[in-house]
Amino acid sequence: MAQRDEALRDGNRQGSGVRAQVAEQFARYRADSLAGARFDECGRPTTGYYDELVDGRGRVRSMWSELSADFIDQGIGGIDRIDHRVRRQIEDDGVTYTEVGLGGDDDTAIPQPWRLDPIPLLVSAEDWTRLETGLVQRSLVLDEVLTDVYGPRRLLSSGLLPAEVVFGNTGYVRAAHGITIPGTHQLFLHACDISRWSDGQFRVLADWAQAPSGAGYALADRRVVASAIPEAFEHAGPRPLSPFARAMRLMLEEAAPELADGEEPVVVVLSPGSHSETAFDQAYLAQMLGFPLVESSDLVVRDGALWMRSLGSLERVDVVLRRVDAEFSDPLDLRPDSRLGVVGLVEVLRRGAVTVVNTLGSGLLESPALSPFLPRIARSVLGEDLLLDATPTYWGGDDTERAHLVSHVGDLVIRSAVDGSTIFGPSLSAAERVDLAARIEAERWKWVGQEPAEFSVAPAVDGPAGLAPAPVGMRLFSLARRGSYTAMSGGLGQQRMRLEPTRSVIKVAAKDVWVRAAPATVPAVSSEAPHEERLRRAVPVVEAISSPRVLNDLFWMGRYSERAESVVRLLAATHDVYQDYRYRPWLDGAAALPILMRALSITTGTTAPQSVLPDGIGQLVAVRSDVTPSPRSVSDEVSTDETPHDSPSDPMGSVGQSQSAGQDPSTADEEELDSEDDEAEAPWERAGTSALARALRTTGVTPERGAEPVPAPEPEPVLARSRQAQGQFTHRAMDSSGQDGVAARRAVAGASAEGFQYLASLTGDRELAGSLSYAVDHYGSAARAVRDQLSSDTWMIIGAVDRALAEFRSASTEQETALSAVHSLTLAALLSLSGIGAESLVRDTGWYVMDIGKRIERGLAVTSLINAALGRRSSAEVQGVVAEAVLTATESAVSYRRRHRGSAHVAALAGLLLFDPGNPRSLVYQLDRLEADFQALPGGSGASRSQRLLADAQRMLRRVDPADLEHTDDDGVRTELVELLEGVHLRLRKLAESFEATKLTVPLGIQPLWGNTRMVG
């Protein structure tokens, strides 16, 4: 009884503490709102503000009071847990945003995790009714403008719309005049940014009609929040967003030109590429719609129609959902320097052979100069007043409005009526205001002034402070239907932050918009009207189509996933041997460690520090336990001049050059390799490459994907600048008793601080070509390029790998434990990816291409590893340790022990790893799978160069007797084994090059039809 009473008292004390914390947090929220919310976007004071959480009397609004237990009453600890779950879900789902245009090479911008506030933005049913009705009306008015401007132009001839506003704006596309899309409406998708002002009214801040972005983010945000905080989501019951995606798919199919009976339209989503700012938004929307995401290189115009490249064929395209700005869509008729468009697209549109939405020229509707004329256009074409007011706008082409604009130039947001560029008047100096006013007087119609926007405040997470008021807005979306428009029942919430001391605002995060359900007697706005459902024909399922670009990315996904797995397995096996002999170098078999270090160096294409490699098998080197690498400047290191290297398609390099001393490869093979030698910038010469990567001296080219690390021809390895000062990849040398020592002692090569640094860098150095982190990063890059092809589980696994490697890179203590842990975690995740590929993906062309990449890489890995580790004779003890590590790295140790009872014979090991067709890790198994995969591809005939090279490699294996592989020459080299492995390795390399060149090649960059691509005017 006493214990129960004490527990009750503890619970009451804890509850009282949370309640006090909530009360304090709420009071702080109110105080911060009063102090910081009465300002517009430029930081000017306003007469008041609107609080979405609290009403004018300081009470929580009714729609929030129902959810207070889920958010407001959680306390700081509870809010922090919700925030952590949301951030973790974002990482697991791979939701990203790419910041471009920040003063570097945009192509190298790294996608960053999407910033989503866990507290949703609530919209009452009454507010939503006004917003939805006003949004649909505004879409109808803009559709009338778009239809008229590129058609009869009655609005211009009647004076309702000045000609300068239309023809002077860069969004107007002259070539689009007369081009129409099937259906009632010419504006397919419309978005507008809206905020609530201090008077409680919603106002439109901007319209988006060029290629509206954000719908994919809105759908992804809903998935994240619903998964991370299911209890709150269930209590609130917000209206679903999925009907909007289903309606968009239906209307895209409806927009197709007239098809023959029984034909299904082919719809694609045209993206500027995986490095665009909203690449995730495009890919996720394409995935939700079920349409392929394509780039310009995937499309081609032939015979007056638009076609999508598939493997060895072309597939006609009927509808394009455009996410590329109109001026870049066709370098022939529009912007000649564009690399994002399709040559001849405008001509196909003129012929009516394809539908592009939003239609070319819709960017005109984003002009800020159009806003002042929409109210009278609405009254003219609809007979209605606009239900949603816009930000008060003054056009310089009107004398009265220009007078107000010039006299208040320091108080307004000034926008160009030509290209929409923005100048914030309050931020200008007195002289700059005078200059701008003079420009406005001189150019008149080219300028527009708008009152700075106001924003309501809503609760948001502010780190350790818990809840805080944040300025908020939202982007709403509407979609053309046969009779009118339908709105997404929610949208993309926009959280802003005030900058001190100016109090201006910037966007910092997104919010999920929860529209509260209407009363039960009112049908949901988003419900589908039965009469609008498309009558489906009884047709077979449309086969998935993959362009060479997509297949190339899938091919490299297969290669990089297998490469990462082979590297981490070999790293783990080598680290185990390192730990066995680090402090016991006198034990038999210790000389196996430098052999494995050399195998790591060769198989990963990196050059290890000379001190970890064997000068002769089993040779011991003297080290001092008190010596640590001395810092060296870059100028002190060896020269980083470019050196010739093997073909970039070789992931492991020419094994024989590093492995077989005194044994040259065949003349024919050597000549074939030499003919394809190239020179490229060494990765350590690129900006941002780490000192350790420079020291390891890995050579090779490193574009986004397709580049392979290869070893330099015998460079002098040097030790990197010590990372001990940085707390990274350090390992203290200790004597056999576990204590620091100063006396010189004998240790096996590799069992040293340099050896550990090498293992650590091969694990965590993202910029070291050949490392585990490098392979994982490049796998992610290839996966992001085909995000629409992959399941959400893929991103959860990639996120787990990224977190594990990031934690290892930041570890400062217990690094040996951290190294083992990161190997285990990464391997488990990679096995999960392999399981998804084997059990969850449809066996279509893309799967076979990805499996071809996987089998090629596994074959290259096993030939390189066995050659590097067992190509030379060594003592029985050393050979046993090396063989055990090789079997562990190839996941064949258990099978070998069951067959051979622990005896280490090269012939027996080769029988399992090279010739056993029942071993999924064997070389012959990889070749057999490659043969089946090639036959499964469209047009597989067996006569291609890739298949001939494969058949040649299979013949080489069949001709060899495993017993002959034990034989060594006078130098201790197993010549039969080395020649076999080098020959198969070479043919696999050439096979990969040939397959990529003939089946996966995308067109070269678009070349202008005339010499000068400079834009005129």
Side-chain angles (χ1 to χ4, degrees):
M1 181 69 71
Q3 292 179 345
R4 186 180 64 182
D5 291 343
E6 183 62 27
L8 288 174
R9 284 193 293 271
D10 289 341
N12 290 334
R13 284 194 295 269
Q14 292 175 2
S16 299
V18 172
R19 287 192 294 271
Q21 191 180 82
V22 169
E24 179 185 353
Q25 190 172 223
F26 185 74
R28 185 171 61 250
Y29 175 93
R30 291 283 292 144
D32 291 345
S33 297
L34 290 170
R38 301 173 184 270
F39 299 91
D40 60 25
E41 68 172 320
C42 293
R44 299 185 316 164
T46 59
T47 56
Y49 70 98
Y50 189 93
D51 194 323
E52 302 286 349
L53 174 64
V54 181
D55 63 19
R57 290 175 290 181
R59 297 182 300 186
V60 176
R61 299 185 188 275
S62 58
M63 64 177 178
W64 270 105
S65 61
E66 299 169 8
L67 296 175
S68 60
D70 297 306
F71 297 108
I72 311 302
D73 297 344
Q74 287 289 317
I76 294 177
I79 292 295
D80 182 67
R81 286 190 294 273
I82 292 174
D83 186 39
H84 175 77
R85 290 202 299 268
V86 168
R87 285 188 281 110
R88 179 63 177 266
Q89 190 68 44
I90 285 174
E91 292 179 359
D92 288 346
D93 286 357
V95 188
T96 59
Y97 179 81
T98 306
E99 301 250 0
V100 300
L102 299 180
D105 184 357
D106 291 349
D107 289 341
T108 62
I110 299 176
Q112 300 297 324
W114 178 245
R115 295 184 291 274
L116 174 64
D117 188 76
I119 311 298
L121 179 59
L122 301 188
V123 179
S124 67
E126 296 78 14
D127 284 340
W128 178 249
T129 299
R130 294 196 299 272
L131 284 170
E132 189 263 351
T133 306
L135 175 63
V136 168
Q137 182 200 50
R138 191 174 186 87
S139 299
L140 287 168
V141 174
L142 291 173
D143 176 63
E144 291 288 346
V145 173
L146 184 64
T147 303
D148 184 78
V149 165
Y150 292 101
R153 296 177 175 171
R154 285 189 290 267
L155 294 176
L156 279 71
S157 60
S158 65
L160 287 173
L161 188 60
E164 303 97 312
V165 171
V166 175
F167 303 124
N169 186 266
T170 56
Y172 176 76
V173 177
R174 193 176 304 276
H177 188 267
I179 295 176
T180 60
I181 63 175
T184 308
H185 305 290
Q186 297 303 297
L187 178 60
F188 181 81
L189 181 64
H190 171 222
C192 64
D193 291 342
I194 294 176
S195 69
R196 197 196 300 258
W197 290 40
S198 58
D199 58 3
Q201 298 301 309
F202 292 103
R203 288 183 174 82
V204 175
L205 308 182
D207 291 291
W208 303 104
Q210 171 75 264
S213 63
Y217 279 124
L219 294 169
D221 290 350
R222 176 58 55 87
R223 170 187 165 87
V224 167
V225 173
S227 300
I229 46 176
E231 300 87 356
F233 187 81
E234 183 178 351
H235 293 162
R239 301 187 193 185
L241 305 184
S242 55
F244 186 83
R246 292 197 296 269
M248 182 180 290
R249 178 183 174 90
L250 175 66
M251 295 314 298
L252 283 168
E253 292 175 341
E254 292 273 349
E258 191 169 341
L259 303 173
D261 289 341
E263 288 188 358
E264 283 287 314
V266 174
V267 184
V268 299
V269 180
L270 178 59
S271 165
S274 60
H275 290 292
S276 65
E277 282 182 301
T278 57
F280 173 87
D281 180 67
Q282 301 155 22
Y284 192 80
L285 183 61
Q287 184 182 48
M288 295 297 293
L289 296 175
F291 298 137
L293 185 73
V294 301
E295 298 177 18
S296 61
S297 60
D298 303 325
L299 303 176
V300 65
V301 171
R302 298 278 174 82
D303 301 326
L306 183 66
W307 305 81
M308 178 167 63
R309 293 182 172 92
S310 190
L311 192 63
S313 64
L314 296 175
E315 185 75 17
R316 182 162 178 173
V317 175
D318 302 297
V319 182
V320 177
L321 177 59
R322 175 176 63 87
R323 293 299 297 270
V324 175
D325 285 355
E327 65 174 324
F328 294 97
S329 297
D330 184 351
L332 181 62
D333 281 293
L334 299 173
R335 183 165 172 162
D337 63 341
S338 170
R339 299 295 187 267
L340 305 177
V342 182
V343 176
L345 180 62
V346 171
E347 179 60 29
V348 180
L349 282 168
R350 291 195 185 105
R351 297 185 180 199
V354 71
T355 299
V356 174
V357 292
N358 278 347
T359 184
L360 299 184
S362 59
L364 169 67
L365 303 180
E366 298 180 359
S367 171
L370 189 62
S371 180
F373 303 100
L374 291 183
R376 64 187 188 185
I377 293 175
R379 287 190 291 269
S380 174
V381 300
L382 300 181
E384 301 171 354
D385 289 327
L386 281 180
L387 300 176
L388 276 179
D389 292 332
T391 302
T393 305
Y394 314 96
W395 179 51
D398 181 272
D399 292 341
T400 303
E401 294 184 359
R402 185 176 66 258
H404 180 86
L405 173 56
V406 171
S407 61
H408 294 82
V409 69
D411 301 321
L412 302 175
V413 177
I414 311 300
R415 302 187 192 276
S416 169
V418 177
D419 60 11
S421 57
T422 301
I423 302 172
F424 291 95
S427 65
L428 299 177
S429 65
E432 290 171 332
R433 295 178 186 180
V434 171
D435 291 342
L436 181 56
R439 288 184 62 189
I440 294 172
E441 286 287 4
E443 298 172 341
R444 302 195 175 191
W445 67 268
K446 292 185 178 181
W447 296 97
V448 170
Q450 293 180 325
E451 297 290 343
E454 297 179 18
F455 300 94
S456 60
V457 294
V461 174
D462 183 23
L467 292 181
V472 294
M474 65 184 97
R475 178 170 294 181
L476 304 183
F477 302 89
S478 65
L479 175 71
R481 302 298 297 265
R482 289 179 186 150
S484 181
Y485 282 79
T486 185
M488 176 187 284
S489 298
L492 181 63
Q494 300 166 334
Q495 178 185 329
R496 290 168 166 81
M497 178 181 70
R498 294 202 176 275
L499 301 176
E500 298 296 343
T502 63
R503 297 185 182 273
S504 59
V505 296
I506 59 171
K507 295 178 185 177
V508 293
K511 278 180 169 286
D512 189 18
V513 178
W514 288 7
V515 177
R516 303 304 302 273
T521 56
V522 180
V525 174
S526 60
S527 61
E528 299 288 336
H531 69 276
E532 290 194 8
E533 290 299 328
R534 186 178 182 209
L535 296 177
R536 296 278 181 176
R537 306 180 184 93
V539 294
V541 176
V542 178
E543 291 295 331
I545 304 169
S546 295
S547 69
R549 177 193 59 82
V550 172
L551 295 177
N552 189 56
D553 287 314
L554 292 171
F555 175 74
W556 282 104
M557 280 181 61
R559 293 199 65 174
Y560 277 121
S561 65
E562 182 60 32
R563 183 173 305 174
E565 183 179 338
S566 64
V567 170
V568 74
R569 286 184 182 278
L570 184 54
L571 277 168
T574 305
H575 186 227
D576 287 344
V577 176
Y578 172 88
Q579 289 181 311
D580 286 343
Y581 297 107
R582 173 70 178 93
Y583 305 119
R584 294 176 292 276
W586 56 85
L587 296 180
D588 293 338
L593 181 57
I595 298 176
L596 293 175
M597 288 286 187
R598 180 179 59 186
L600 263 176
S601 173
I602 293 173
T603 57
T604 60
T606 60
T607 303
Q610 190 66 42
S611 61
V612 308
L613 299 176
D615 294 329
I617 300 301
Q619 178 177 348
L620 298 179
V621 296
V623 298
R624 290 181 59 85
S625 60
D626 61 331
V627 174
T628 58
S630 59
R632 301 179 60 183
S633 66
V634 176
S635 60
D636 293 331
E637 296 177 357
V638 298
S639 172
T640 58
D641 293 339
E642 294 178 351
T643 55
H645 57 77
D646 292 329
S647 166
S649 289
D650 181 13
M652 308 301 178
S654 179
V655 180
Q657 291 181 0
S658 301
Q659 171 70 16
S660 304
Q663 179 67 34
D664 295 332
S666 67
T667 304
D669 289 352
E670 186 174 350
E671 289 177 353
E672 187 174 7
L673 280 175
D674 292 343
S675 67
E676 296 186 15
D677 279 353
D678 198 344
E679 287 193 0
E681 179 185 18
W684 64 83
E685 294 177 322
R686 299 194 310 273
T689 304
S690 66
L692 188 55
R694 292 196 300 272
L696 292 174
R697 300 294 309 281
T698 304
T699 61
V701 293
T702 55
E704 175 194 357
R705 50 186 175 272
E708 301 308 318
V710 292
E714 301 298 333
E716 178 188 356
V718 295
L719 187 62
R721 178 184 296 121
S722 172
R723 295 195 176 189
Q724 189 167 6
Q726 305 174 25
Q728 296 182 2
F729 305 158
T730 57
H731 180 83
R732 299 190 66 187
M734 304 176 71
D735 62 22
S736 59
S737 65
Q739 304 297 321
D740 293 341
V742 295
R745 60 182 178 83
R746 292 171 61 81
V748 67
S752 60
E754 293 90 339
F756 182 84
Q757 287 179 349
Y758 183 54
L759 295 177
S761 66
L762 280 179
T763 300
D765 196 330
R766 303 174 65 173
E767 299 187 29
L768 177 60
S771 72
L772 172 62
S773 290
Y774 185 91
V776 169
D777 283 356
H778 281 63
Y779 175 88
S781 177
R784 282 191 291 272
V786 291
R787 182 186 292 271
D788 60 308
Q789 307 270 329
L790 306 176
S791 71
S792 57
D793 293 340
T794 304
W795 306 106
M796 178 175 63
I797 298 170
I798 293 176
V801 176
D802 288 340
R803 283 193 297 272
L805 290 170
E807 289 174 2
F808 171 72
R809 283 189 287 267
S810 62
S812 58
T813 59
E814 300 294 335
Q815 290 179 339
E816 286 213 21
T817 303
L819 188 62
S820 298
V822 74
H823 290 162
S824 298
L825 291 172
T826 303
L827 180 58
L830 292 172
L831 291 176
S832 298
L833 283 177
S834 181
I836 290 176
E839 302 296 335
S840 300
L841 299 184
V842 176
R843 265 47 171 183
D844 58 7
T845 300
W847 185 90
Y848 286 111
V849 169
M850 185 163 62
D851 196 58
I852 286 173
K854 183 183 184 73
R855 300 303 159 186
I856 289 173
E857 195 67 33
R858 187 172 290 182
L860 290 170
V862 72
T863 54
S864 178
L865 174 59
I866 295 176
N867 195 357
L870 299 171
R872 280 179 174 271
R873 181 179 60 234
S874 55
S875 67
E877 294 81 4
V878 171
Q879 181 170 295
V881 175
V882 172
E884 179 70 18
V886 169
L887 290 167
T888 301
T890 54
E891 201 184 359
S892 300
V894 174
S895 298
Y896 186 87
R897 293 192 198 102
R898 290 174 60 189
R899 295 184 183 185
H900 301 287
R901 304 298 181 186
S903 59
H905 298 288
V906 171
L909 188 144
L912 179 63
L913 295 184
L914 299 182
F915 303 103
D916 189 344
N919 180 11
R921 296 281 167 175
S922 72
L923 179 60
V924 70
Y925 185 90
Q926 313 315 313
L927 301 183
D928 290 345
R929 283 292 296 269
L930 281 171
E931 182 180 20
D933 289 343
F934 279 129
Q935 289 295 332
L937 295 179
S941 63
S944 68
R945 182 169 186 263
S946 299
Q947 290 170 293
R948 293 197 303 271
L949 286 165
L950 174 61
D952 195 17
Q954 291 173 313
R955 283 193 296 271
M956 291 185 68
L957 278 181
R958 288 195 295 267
R959 293 171 181 166
V960 172
D961 182 354
D964 294 338
L965 303 181
E966 291 273 13
H967 298 160
T968 61
D969 61 13
D970 295 339
D971 296 321
V973 177
R974 293 187 172 96
T975 53
E976 294 284 345
L977 177 65
V978 168
E979 289 177 358
L980 171 66
L981 294 175
E982 287 179 352
V984 175
H985 188 93
L986 174 66
R987 282 153 183 80
L988 285 175
R989 289 172 51 200
K990 297 304 175 184
L991 183 157
E993 295 169 7
S994 175
F995 179 67
E996 193 172 11
T998 57
K999 297 293 186 181
L1000 310 181
T1001 301
V1002 297
L1004 298 176
I1006 298 173
Q1007 301 298 321
L1009 298 180
W1010 43 88
N1012 191 352
T1013 62
R1014 181 176 60 87
M1015 299 299 295
V1016 180

